[in-house]
Amino acid sequence: MKRGILKEVTIVPGLDDSEHRELDLTWRRRPGFIGWLETTNHKDVAMRYIVTAFVFFGLAGILAALMRIQLAFPENTFIGPDLYNQFFTVHGTTMMFLFAVPVTEALGIYFVPLMVGTRNVAFPRLNAFGYYVYLAGGILLYLGLFFNTGPDAGWFAYVPLSGPQFSPGKRVDFWAQMITLTEIAGLTTAVEIIVTAFKQRAPGMSLNRIPLFVWAMVVTSFMVIFAMPSVMLASGYLAMDRLAHVNTHFFNPAEGGDALLYQHIFWFFGHPEVYIIFIPATGFISTIVPTFARRRIFGYTALVLALISTAFIGFGLWVHHMFATPVPELGQSFFTAASMIIAIPAGIQIFCWIATIWSGKPVLKTPLLWAAGFLSLFVFGGLSGMMLASVPIDLQVHDTYFVVAHFHYVLIGGAVFPLFGAIYYWFPKWTGRLLSESLGKWNFWLFFIGFNLTFFPMHQLGLKGMTRRIYTYVPETGWGGLNLLASIGAGVIGLSVLMFLANILWSRKRGALAGDNPWGASTLEWATTSPAASYNFLHLPTVRGRDPLWDQKEISPVVTGVRSDIREVLNTTTLEAAPDHRYEMAGDSIYPLLLAVPVSLTFAFGIFTPWAFPVGALVVFLAFFPWFWSGTEEAKQQRDKKYKHRPEQELPAPVTPAEQVV
Amino acid sequence: MKTTRSTIDVSELPPSALDHRSPIWIGNALLLTIETTMFALLVATYFYLRQNFESWPPPQVNFQPPNLHPAPGLFWGTINLVVILAATFFMLLTDWAALRFDKTKVLLWGAFTVVLGIVAVGLRFPEFHGTHFRWDDNAYASVVWGILVMHMIHLLVGVSEDLFMFIYIAKNGLDDKHARDVRVTAVYWYWIGGIWLPLYAIIYFGPYWIGK
């Protein structure tokens, strides 16, 4: 079978320039607002995801700050119980569904194509559709909160509290339909990432040479595929149980339904969710650590196997959230053991990173600082996790602030710290400029100190019996001092996040110029200009090892023969990444948006009437028609037209790489 | 300065693939994995809820005479099973025709699939009637209706996707990319027919196996 022909060709001066223009014309989006709505470029879509997710992070952070003000003093009357319930529910829901998962998946959408050396994700239009649906889900949740209809039954919305009997009104329904919309987005993203990573890698990037970040995103995506249908089903059952004129009885014990069924299917998603958030973070760390330790990663194979075993074991832990319910004793033992076993792959990863730093020549730039913060905080959170895996301890501290402290250590320490590191690391890729190091260090230390001030005392509060989700307490409990300390810590975190925001806004325009590869990193995303052109690479690269930019002493072959007048990429074989066939991608299109609107409205109206679903299905059916019909041929015709009407001098000037820092 | 560059010329590789090497084929397979997970959880729900009932399905005692074991009617359910499998079979013929770029056969066998698909959606309604319950009668009825409705939605999606595709092919001809799309949709049909076998067995024979 043909695998492409290796040739030695003469470099013709000026040919690269015309190739560049041709590619740019093919891949860049149409100018203007409509072009902005139509874009299916993975970098555009990913950046939207990232910015939107950080907006939600800010909103949920504000809610957290308001809760900390309320809890700072005993018998405080700043927020009443009803509003407090909505605040903690929306805070948790936002952080899990609208921030943590979307933002890490967005980094995957941005960097997986760049790291494997291709021009876009496998299904660009599906990608754009996913973003619009996610945005709609987020808006739906906050519209609810704004109109005092914010969900108030906790981020996991346990029945019977969230059922029709104890939560009348529409509050919980906003939560349920938000879940549906955001999980549609999560699932589409997962499929794209897997197919991009399996089919579009640069020739030579065999499965055992994939960058660890890409491995992390692939493993996460598989977890998403098996976990997220579960939460959609749980929220779907709940919505149908609650919806007037439907009134199913999945969770209604009076008619043979079962409240514990909800907990099972929710946590069958909910526990893997923790790893869906954590595994991409390990990908950030595995990218940052070798770059700044100035050596190849220690234990590549062990790290990959650790990721995969984490994913498998992660599906066998869910019942440890339910130790306070009647679970058979044998079941308890099984889930305790599984919860402890998962510390082994986590430990392997930690040791590999430490070994890499230890045996390298570490350069302590901000990204590595965040990685170091992650290592210490995550180990700490992991240790309290080991305590919670034990049934007797779990029963003692169940639903107390000890648990709140634990999961903030693993989620903020385990995911938000690496995320900040990743933002500092990749900011030059997005803008061509570096974030300020000194502001970055302030950002880091304030966050680190503020975080520990806020969440460390919560362990003690939990042991003293302070239950989670209470809106106030009496002075006699003696919880006042530690709560005040936690609230001060929250203020410090807020200050740190403001410095981060200032750093971003300032460095976007005035930061030091970065050059193409400011950190001397080894992965392919740095093999092109920073910021990358619309088509990513002038010539699709080939690779010879795990660290392409460090392995290639002389110029390695590039791929030619992929058409540049249409959006074509090279597909390679899954295992060996040998050239296999070419693949034309769909172009920019307004139809993803035109489909996302009726889909979102269907679920939004589905909060109020079951008729939304048949009517919505009909409209969605009609919206599918033009999407299917607008094939790639259409894109080509439009392009041909553009060629005819566009004189040569109007073509955009080639993007020159940003000046090197001297 | 170096005046030559080594390249891998891929211009002679095919511009698309018709089988599992194609990204769309894998993407479709992953979406079907998602849907399979969903059905697996529906089935898990079915067996989990069984624990809450003395007999499954619960007896209808407010009827005269009382129906002590109202298992779903086998007649329409089995007829529809045959129709669904027949539609899947015609999709197999369509798939083979697409492999030979035989536009006429693709449209002919494809039309059979679409028509039988529509019939299958229609026959779902007597199936609903045959469950003896409304979805809001009890948890048993909720989950049985849930499985029937979810599968019907997938049938509808398959039928409408096919309809679009065959109209497109009738109008614009059968090129490489659309032959591939036919083959990808065929996989969808194998799945929709294949998954109905265990689901049918559970809905229609579950009450006899685990009913008492």
Side-chain angles (χ1 to χ4, degrees), chain A residues 2 4-5 7-9 11 16 199 237 246-247 249 255-258 557-558 560 571 580-582 584 621 625, chain B residues 3-15 17 21 23 42 45 52 135-137 139 142 160 164 177:
Chain A
K2 252 200 193 86
I5 305 157
K7 282 183 188 165
E8 196 77 9
V9 297
I11 297 177
D16 277 3
K199 294 309 296 177
Y237 287 166
V246 177
N247 301 113
H249 298 292
E255 293 292 348
D258 203 305
V558 293
T560 57
N571 277 170
D580 190 53
H581 64 276
R582 293 174 287 133
E584 188 192 352
F621 177 81
F625 197 79
Chain B
T3 54
T4 60
R5 162 198 286 156
S6 48
T7 67
I8 295 178
D9 186 6
V10 298
S11 55
E12 289 186 30
L13 292 180
R21 294 174 301 143
L42 268 167
T45 306
N52 297 344
W135 65 86
D136 57 355
D137 281 349
S142 298
S160 29
F164 281 153
K177 282 167 188 140

Side-chain angles (χ1 to χ4, degrees), chain A residues 395-403 457-470 472-474 477-479 482-483:
Chain A
L395 283 178
Q396 283 298 314
V397 296
H398 190 84
D399 272 351
T400 69
Y401 264 79
F402 189 86
V403 175
M458 289 186 187
H459 291 101
Q460 179 66 10
L461 282 171
L463 294 176
K464 287 168 100 172
M466 181 169 170
T467 47
R468 68 194 286 199
R469 298 179 173 173
I470 49 169
T472 193
Y473 48 90
V474 289
T477 53
W479 301 337
L482 287 174
N483 267 308

Side-chain angles (χ1 to χ4, degrees), chain A residues 146-157:
Chain A
F146 189 75
F147 289 107
N148 195 26
T149 320
D152 57 355
W155 81 273
F156 42 68

